Amino acid sequence: MPSHLHEGLLDLFRTDLLLAPSLLAEEFGIPLPGLSQMRAEPCDFTDVGPKEFRGDLALSTHDDRDIPVLGVCVEVQLSKADVRRWKWPVYLTTLRSRLCCPVVLLVVTPSRAVAKWAEQPIELDTVGSVIQPLVLGPDRFPVVTDPAEAGRCPERATLSAIAHGAGPHMEEVLAAFLAGLMKTDDEHAKMYLDLVDDALTVVASRRLEELMESTPQYRGRIATKYMAKGREEGLAEGLAEVDAKVVETAAHAVLTVLTARGLELSAAQRAQLAACTDIDQLDAWLTQAVTATRTDELFS
């Protein structure tokens, strides 16, 4: 089952289809000749047989004649898993056959240890044929400190905040990230905020909250909304605790009155009393307990 972090990182590349090719060009020097458009490709790399191979995300770049010029397999990897290195070549060769153009494997990971593991060449045979994964680890995540750039590409700013939000440029990176969130819809803003907050250190997370609270535009668009949600959730939890306490007290009162009057509950009646969460029913039992001569009058 994919984790929240896995799906969140993947959503950055699904939402902005130009994010992967732009980072390939910037970080790895991959040329994008005649780039006219980007498309999401099917991620089903099933061959002729019962075994299914399904990747995370497949993209294709096309020239102005709508001819594919480059295929990209984007794989989000959070841990070392050798089985993935056996499957990745299947994704690449299937996509290459489908598009009839060169393809590359882009592995995205927030872990330096996983990045080091994933960047090792994948041997295909005994005569030197290899596949070289291109690994976008935290050291290669873009550093976005310009709010205007973040506004143009909130997904890039989110990657930046995940990797560099607790670093030496914390203030600028987090401020740019918040500026990027202003340009997203509510659903993506919440997702990106959760992703970044989970990745930050305690100090950086606290600073992010302070920035949201102290800047009017963020407080109106982001901070107030999620802080209010937190207050509502906290209030609901508090009310639930109060209700549970009231129920417990009422049940105890029923048992105390009956015991004081010399009326003993059977095991089944005690279980019925303990399981009841209806405060109106408990009040009714308490009223009856004052005058009842048998416990069956309450628990008939």
Side-chain angles (χ1 to χ4, degrees):
M1 179 69 68
S3 68
H4 169 70
L5 177 57
H6 180 278
E7 288 302 294
L9 286 171
L10 200 54
D11 191 73
L12 299 177
F13 291 88
R14 288 195 187 109
T15 303
D16 182 2
L17 295 182
L18 290 175
L19 182 59
S22 66
L23 292 175
L24 283 171
E26 294 170 14
E27 299 296 330
F28 303 101
I30 302 296
L32 300 174
L35 175 61
S36 176
Q37 59 179 306
M38 287 292 303
R39 294 179 187 172
E41 295 288 336
C43 294
D44 185 347
F45 300 113
T46 306
D47 56 8
V48 184
K51 192 171 184 62
E52 181 180 13
F53 293 91
R54 184 172 297 276
D56 283 342
L57 178 64
L59 304 171
S60 62
T61 66
H62 296 248
D63 62 18
D64 53 7
R65 296 173 297 169
D66 201 25
I67 297 176
V69 294
L70 182 68
V72 183
C73 288
V74 180
E75 291 292 308
V76 172
Q77 196 67 31
L78 304 182
S79 61
K80 300 176 184 179
D82 290 337
V83 67
R84 306 302 298 171
R85 293 173 58 82
W86 292 105
K87 293 182 177 181
W88 288 339
V90 178
Y91 303 167
L92 279 181
T93 54
T94 305
L95 187 62
R96 179 176 180 271
S97 175
R98 184 183 299 165
L99 298 176
C100 297
C101 72
V103 294
V104 296
L105 170 64
L106 178 63
V107 180
V108 181
T109 178
S111 165
R112 287 181 173 84
V114 175
K116 185 175 181 180
W117 163 81
E119 67 187 7
Q120 299 304 311
I122 301 173
E123 297 182 355
L124 298 180
D125 53 37
T126 59
V127 295
S129 300
V130 299
I131 288 175
Q132 179 60 62
L134 303 178
V135 182
L136 190 70
D139 294 332
R140 286 185 178 269
F141 280 21
V143 181
V144 179
T145 57
D146 180 6
E149 179 186 0
R152 290 191 298 270
C153 185
E155 291 71 29
R156 177 184 286 262
T158 301
L159 280 178
S160 170
I162 289 172
H164 311 295
H169 303 290
M170 176 175 68
E171 198 79 10
E172 299 92 332
V173 167
L174 294 181
F177 165 65
L178 291 177
L181 288 192
M182 297 291 289
K183 301 299 182 180
T184 64
D185 57 62
D186 288 347
E187 182 179 353
H188 283 97
K190 174 64 166 63
M191 180 187 298
Y192 297 168
L193 188 60
D194 287 345
L195 276 176
V196 170
D197 192 50
D198 288 346
L200 294 177
T201 61
V202 173
V203 172
S205 179
R206 186 177 299 119
R207 183 56 185 148
L208 180 62
E209 291 180 10
E210 292 171 353
L211 286 173
M212 288 192 292
E213 294 174 9
S214 64
T215 308
Q217 67 185 92
Y218 301 148
R219 186 168 62 244
R221 168 69 166 82
I222 303 169
T224 300
K225 177 177 179 180
Y226 296 118
M227 288 169 61
K229 180 179 179 182
R231 286 195 296 270
E232 291 172 2
E233 292 174 348
L235 178 60
E237 291 176 0
L239 290 174
E241 291 178 2
V242 170
D243 287 345
K245 188 65 176 178
V246 170
V247 166
E248 180 183 354
T249 301
H252 181 70
V254 173
L255 183 60
T256 300
V257 170
L258 290 173
T259 301
R261 298 189 63 241
L263 299 176
E264 292 294 329
L265 296 180
S266 67
Q269 291 170 340
R270 283 180 176 273
Q272 186 177 352
L273 176 62
C276 181
T277 59
D278 184 343
I279 191 65
D280 291 334
Q281 178 63 72
L282 290 167
D283 284 342
W285 283 342
L286 182 59
T287 300
Q288 291 175 279
V290 176
T291 59
T293 58
R294 302 190 320 275
T295 57
D296 289 346
E297 294 177 26
L298 280 71
F299 304 97
S300 57

